[in-house]
Amino acid sequence: STHAHMGYNVTMTTTNPTLKDLPLTEDDLPIWMRRAMRGNDWGALLTVGFSALVAWYFILSPTLPQFTATENYVFMVQDYADAFSEGRLYPRWAAHAESGYGAPIYHYQPPGATYLGGIITALFNNNPVAAVRTVYLIGFMLAGVGTYGIVVRHRGAAAAVLAAMLYVTSPYIGITAPHALGNLDISLALGLLPVLLWSVDRLVYANYPQDFPFVVLTFATLILTSPRVAAAGGVLSIVLVMWHLTQRNPRLCRPRIVIIALLTGLLLTTFYWFPAIAERYMVYWQPQTLTGQPVFVTLAGLLAPYRQIDTNAIVPAPHLGFGWLRLMLITLSIPGVLLVQRRFTMEALTLLCGTAITAVVVLVFPLETWLIGVATLCFSASVGAALSFRDRFSERTQRLVLAIVLMVILGASRAAWLPPQSISTIPSPTPGGQVQHEASGYGVAVVPPGRAYPTTLPRATSPVNELLRSYRDGDENLNRSAPTRQSNRLRVSPLTESAHAARFQISGDGTERVTLAVTYFPGWRARVNQRRMSVTPGEAGLLSVQSPAVTNGTLVVWLGTTLFRRGAWLVSLMTAAGMLWFVQRRYRYARPQYHEVKLLTLPEARLILLLLLLSAGVVYFAARFNAPLSIRAAEPNPLASATNLDLRTTAGLNLLAYDLNTTRFQHGETLQLALYWSALQEITQNYRVQVTLFGIDRTISLGKAEIRYPGGLPPTRWTQNRTVRDLHYIEISRQIPPGEYLVEVTLELCDVNDLSCDPADRPRFFERDGFPVGQIYDLPATIEVIE
């Protein structure tokens, strides 16, 4: 008998007369034959191509977005690569932070993204900038493939390709996280999140032996990359399992296997999170003087159109929204679920999850902007409901609908293809470059702006001149013995140094306390001529070693382990061994399975491939920098809706305009003020801006915004004739009585670590024609506070 299946003619021949005319169905075929007849998954390959194309900047550009947290990740990647080259497989110490004293930053910070970048740097290119670009590219690829994997099992390859494109070209994934904010860890974590959900869905639905370790390793990697995103992924995984239970599919595995996998992933990362929690009271968290622009989610921002980043702005404003196209598809998905599918499908689940996450981020956690990426993933996965309307048409019409929708997505997401071009290169990530970065007032080099960092040093600890000189001269052996030179009987000279250890030549007439220019932290060890010495916190929180009387001895200090760290590694190793045993046991009793998936037909794949090639041509000839046929639109004018000022200052800064959200406020509301600055010349000092709310009679100061660098960027880093948007917020509390008020703007020249300012050092404002205004400028708008 002959049976046609997907273009194949399957013939069964038998000599048994009772089976001669028995029809052959697909279920009668062996699993290997059904898999071979299914064809190639062209949708997955096309998704990889589109994801790489959206990330073209990180493939073709030799540098990275400047003045964002990406700079800090380059420094971190170089630190990890240096530690790997020294044989340290898990770094816990940032040796060059805090003016060279060092800090346990990597002990508490999730290592995932920077660890991957360090491996790429150490093993392949010795270029941390290229390594960070590669990590961004990996994040895009994971985001596309993971989203495709979630949708293809439930809705087919056509909807899966659309969902993947919606996700990777979305405002937050395509532009905001990598280009406007420079959040390398969040970009990679939002790429890993759909991979986790796909692996959980596969574990519940198919339960292959390899699915369990895949869930474990993916969840563990997500924890090491971003615990916050991992927590959201764990919650969504549980919700996904609960949805599977509502489907009443007898082939589903028991839900507890997913819970066990997630707990195993958590235990596998014990070596990171347990010591960080157990030793959290051994440090205090030092806020950085350099604080970035306040960034939070608003309902108006979520509904704003997808716009191109303003390349005239030194610090681009992030787009925290979905874009109109995604909002339209979300609207179409609702009737698709209610009118076409008419059941609680995967699309209905993701619609509900995306709506709930959006409500939570707007009403409860507006500062957690990464939740927009999670909500975008949920809404992208629901696109199958909107695409279900095309199932009523002919096969040819369905292909045309798919191609048209894809073209609309690519065209409406044009901003994702047009990232801003960096003007200059990332600063040198050498140890001397780290110290210079901090000494210039740009914050700790290995800590993104606005984040606090762990330290045990007192706040007023001064840098050591000899140590700074060693960094400036590029010495391989840094002079960390300067604090001990007050004793004439003790001589300490540096021999060698690495990220987690140092050797000194030491000579003394008697027992002495050797204080080194290294921050004390539990785990430091020391020995003199193979003899273990006690290590204690010394003067000003520095490392102090008890040294015996010795002539030409060798003092070795290194960062060792503690009881908490040893116990955490033991738990992680035992978990890994248990997982291997469990997986080996599952393979022993595994049975072959086959699950039908609706893949792209060959005509559909050819049509989408044509769109991919056309998109690649557009990127090469019209979207990349210096392209012969540029499709970049005219730069948006951020001053169009602002009030023009054009004030000059004696510091070389120009106050171009201001923008107030309103001039009438009630108690509990927030005054939002946007100042627009530019530099008329090279700025040699880092000025800060202070916005103050004064009574109309100038007798009382009732509200102040945070004093910080304009736009969150030190003016010495500004590029001339480019705009800096500087946001300030003042809460109208009940301590402010009803009445009329003025908004005053001043520029302050403060020490990097000191917020107290001398009024005499303030720059003066003057008008374009030279007419003096004074040190304080009152905005030409009266603020009214009403009951």
Side-chain angles (χ1 to χ4, degrees):
S1 62
T2 302
H3 177 69
H5 176 73
M6 297 181 66
Y8 295 87
N9 290 327
V10 182
T11 303
M12 184 179 74
T13 303
T14 178
T15 58
N16 190 330
T18 61
L19 300 177
K20 184 176 180 180
D21 298 325
L22 183 67
L24 181 66
T25 65
E26 180 182 348
D27 293 336
D28 297 318
L29 298 175
I31 290 178
W32 66 267
M33 185 178 293
R34 280 185 279 172
R35 289 175 178 171
M37 294 169 58
R38 185 173 59 183
N40 298 318
D41 192 354
W42 298 113
L45 296 177
L46 292 170
T47 299
V48 171
F50 276 114
S51 301
L53 194 59
V54 175
W56 70 263
Y57 174 92
F58 300 106
I59 300 175
L60 301 180
S61 176
T63 184
L64 284 166
Q66 200 179 14
F67 306 135
T68 65
T70 297
E71 290 185 352
N72 305 101
Y73 285 104
V74 172
F75 284 109
M76 286 186 266
V77 165
Q78 184 63 60
D79 273 1
Y80 272 79
D82 292 341
F84 296 153
S85 64
E86 297 164 1
R88 174 75 63 158
L89 297 181
Y90 187 76
R92 294 184 183 271
W93 190 255
H96 314 297
E98 287 273 82
S99 301
Y101 286 119
I105 295 173
Y106 303 139
H107 179 69
Y108 297 92
Q109 176 180 274
T114 46
Y115 199 99
L116 177 58
I119 290 177
I120 296 172
T121 302
L123 296 182
F124 299 104
N125 54 22
N126 196 27
N127 186 341
V129 173
V132 171
R133 289 180 10 230
T134 304
V135 175
Y136 274 123
L137 176 61
I138 292 173
F140 273 96
M141 306 281 272
L142 291 175
V145 174
T147 307
Y148 178 88
I150 296 173
V151 180
V152 68
R153 182 183 300 276
H154 300 276
R155 186 56 189 160
V161 172
L162 292 181
M165 285 303 302
L166 283 173
Y167 188 52
V168 297
T169 62
S170 63
Y172 196 88
I173 304 299
I175 285 291
T176 298
H179 294 282
L181 299 178
N183 286 341
L184 181 65
D185 52 351
I186 294 297
S187 294
L188 183 59
L190 291 176
L192 287 167
L193 179 62
V195 177
L196 172 66
L197 297 179
W198 166 69
S199 63
V200 169
D201 182 68
R202 180 183 166 95
L203 176 60
V204 174
Y205 192 82
N207 195 17
Y208 291 109
Q210 65 270 25
D211 292 339
F212 180 84
F214 198 84
V215 173
V216 172
L217 295 177
T218 305
F219 189 57
T221 305
L222 191 54
I223 292 174
L224 294 177
T225 303
S226 176
R228 296 177 298 172
V229 180
V235 173
L236 289 177
S237 299
I238 301 302
V239 172
L240 181 60
V241 172
M242 296 175 62
W243 172 80
H244 272 293
L245 294 178
T246 64
Q247 304 305 299
R248 301 185 182 278
N249 188 340
R251 301 177 62 181
L252 299 180
C253 74
R254 296 179 180 178
R256 66 184 183 187
I257 193 69
V258 176
I259 306 298
I260 294 173
L262 296 178
L263 291 178
T264 304
L266 180 64
L267 292 176
L268 195 61
T269 59
T270 305
F271 66 89
Y272 155 64
W273 57 263
F274 182 75
I277 294 176
E279 298 176 348
R280 66 188 183 280
Y281 296 116
M282 297 178 180
V283 297
Y284 71 90
W285 292 85
Q286 173 71 45
Q288 291 201 83
T289 302
L290 178 63
T291 57
Q293 284 282 84
V295 178
F296 54 89
V297 181
T298 62
L299 183 59
L302 291 176
L303 303 179
Y306 199 171
R307 62 180 182 273
Q308 178 182 329
I309 285 186
D310 181 13
T311 56
N312 286 326
I314 300 179
V315 182
H319 183 91
L320 301 176
F322 301 116
W324 288 352
L325 173 65
R326 284 152 190 82
L327 294 175
M328 180 185 68
L329 290 176
I330 293 170
T331 305
L332 290 177
S333 297
I334 297 175
V337 170
L338 298 178
L339 301 179
V340 180
Q341 296 179 343
R342 297 182 180 180
R343 54 193 179 89
F344 191 37
T345 60
M346 172 67 79
E347 289 82 2
L349 173 70
T350 52
L351 271 175
L352 291 177
C353 289
T355 304
I357 294 172
T358 303
V360 168
V361 70
V362 172
L363 301 176
V364 184
F365 302 114
L367 296 178
E368 303 296 332
T369 59
W370 58 272
L371 285 171
I372 294 299
V374 181
T376 301
L377 173 61
C378 295
F379 287 135
S380 299
S382 68
V383 71
L387 198 64
S388 60
F389 289 104
R390 77 164 192 152
D391 296 339
R392 302 182 178 184
F393 302 106
S394 64
E395 183 177 349
R396 182 178 181 181
T397 305
Q398 290 182 20
R399 292 199 301 268
L400 292 176
V401 170
L402 177 62
I404 292 173
V405 175
L406 263 177
M407 287 190 294
V408 171
I409 292 175
L410 296 175
S413 304
R414 185 187 65 176
W417 309 83
L418 303 174
Q421 182 178 10
S422 297
I423 296 179
S424 57
T425 58
I426 299 293
S428 173
T430 61
Q434 287 196 33
V435 174
Q436 181 60 40
H437 186 279
E438 186 175 342
S440 301
Y442 304 156
V444 179
V446 295
V447 180
R451 296 188 190 178
Y453 61 92
T455 183
T456 59
L457 289 180
R459 298 175 185 271
T461 302
S462 301
V464 178
N465 293 330
E466 290 83 353
L467 181 59
L468 295 179
R469 189 179 300 112
S470 298
Y471 274 108
R472 185 175 60 252
D473 296 340
D475 295 342
E476 293 184 3
N477 303 323
L478 300 174
N479 188 358
R480 296 189 179 276
S481 59
T484 66
R485 292 190 176 178
Q486 67 274 13
S487 174
N488 296 326
R489 299 186 304 166
L490 183 65
R491 294 177 297 278
V492 181
S493 301
L495 293 177
T496 60
E497 177 167 340
S498 63
H500 293 71
R503 296 174 67 248
F504 303 88
Q505 185 179 17
I506 185 170
S507 178
D509 299 334
T511 301
E512 290 280 353
R513 297 298 302 183
V514 181
T515 304
L516 302 175
V518 178
T519 304
Y520 174 80
F521 185 65
W524 279 108
R525 302 287 184 266
R527 65 172 179 261
V528 176
N529 292 343
Q530 306 304 319
R531 179 183 173 186
R532 292 290 293 269
M533 297 287 107
S534 65
V535 178
T536 57
E539 181 182 356
L542 299 179
L543 194 67
S544 180
V545 180
Q546 183 70 35
S547 174
V550 63
T551 303
N552 294 328
T554 301
L555 169 64
V556 181
V557 295
W558 72 97
L559 183 63
T561 186
T562 63
L563 179 62
F564 293 124
R565 298 168 205 172
R566 284 195 298 267
W569 276 110
L570 180 61
V571 172
S572 295
L573 292 176
M574 292 176 61
T575 303
M579 182 187 69
L580 293 176
W581 172 85
F582 183 68
V583 172
Q584 188 270 339
R585 186 173 180 271
R586 283 169 58 86
Y587 266 105
R588 184 182 305 173
Y589 299 101
R591 295 181 179 179
Q593 301 181 56
Y594 176 77
H595 300 277
E596 182 65 32
V597 178
K598 187 178 180 181
L599 302 178
L600 291 177
T601 63
L602 197 57
E604 285 178 325
R606 290 170 179 168
L607 190 57
I608 297 177
L609 177 60
L610 178 61
L611 290 177
L612 176 60
L613 296 177
L614 290 176
S615 301
V618 171
V619 168
Y620 185 80
F621 291 105
R624 65 185 177 93
F625 308 124
N626 302 321
L629 302 171
S630 178
I631 60 172
R632 293 180 179 269
E635 302 295 343
N637 183 12
L639 307 182
S641 59
T643 302
N644 182 60
L645 294 176
D646 199 14
L647 283 178
R648 311 297 176 89
T649 68
T650 54
L653 302 177
N654 184 14
L655 182 56
L656 300 174
Y658 77 93
D659 188 9
L660 275 170
N661 56 339
T662 183
T663 57
R664 300 188 66 186
F665 298 91
Q666 293 181 337
H667 292 138
E669 296 181 339
T670 300
L671 182 148
Q672 176 180 323
L673 171 65
L675 301 176
Y676 295 91
W677 303 84
S678 68
L680 300 179
Q681 61 190 34
E682 183 179 355
I683 309 300
T684 59
Q685 293 178 301
N686 285 324
Y687 294 93
R688 303 183 188 187
V689 64
Q690 174 71 73
V691 174
T692 308
L693 190 64
F694 265 85
I696 195 71
D697 55 0
R698 311 185 70 86
T699 59
I700 185 172
S701 172
L702 296 172
K704 288 189 177 183
E706 181 183 20
I707 180 173
R708 53 177 170 77
Y709 297 134
L713 185 68
T716 55
R717 307 199 72 188
W718 290 13
T719 303
Q720 297 181 33
N721 299 320
R722 294 185 68 187
T723 306
V724 174
R725 183 170 181 258
D726 183 25
L727 292 177
H728 296 269
Y729 298 92
I730 298 178
E731 182 180 357
I732 308 298
S733 63
R734 295 197 174 274
Q735 285 71 29
I736 300 179
E740 294 184 342
Y741 297 89
L742 298 174
V743 178
E744 295 184 348
V745 180
T746 59
L747 287 174
E748 312 282 358
L749 180 59
C750 303
D751 181 77
V752 174
N753 298 314
D754 185 12
L755 295 182
S756 61
C757 304
D758 185 357
D761 294 332
R762 291 174 177 169
R764 296 180 178 273
F765 293 92
F766 60 91
E767 295 182 357
R768 190 184 186 94
D769 58 3
F771 184 80
V773 175
Q775 292 180 327
I776 301 175
Y777 178 70
D778 296 336
L779 294 182
T782 302
I783 303 301
E784 183 181 2
V785 177
I786 59 177
E787 290 286 356

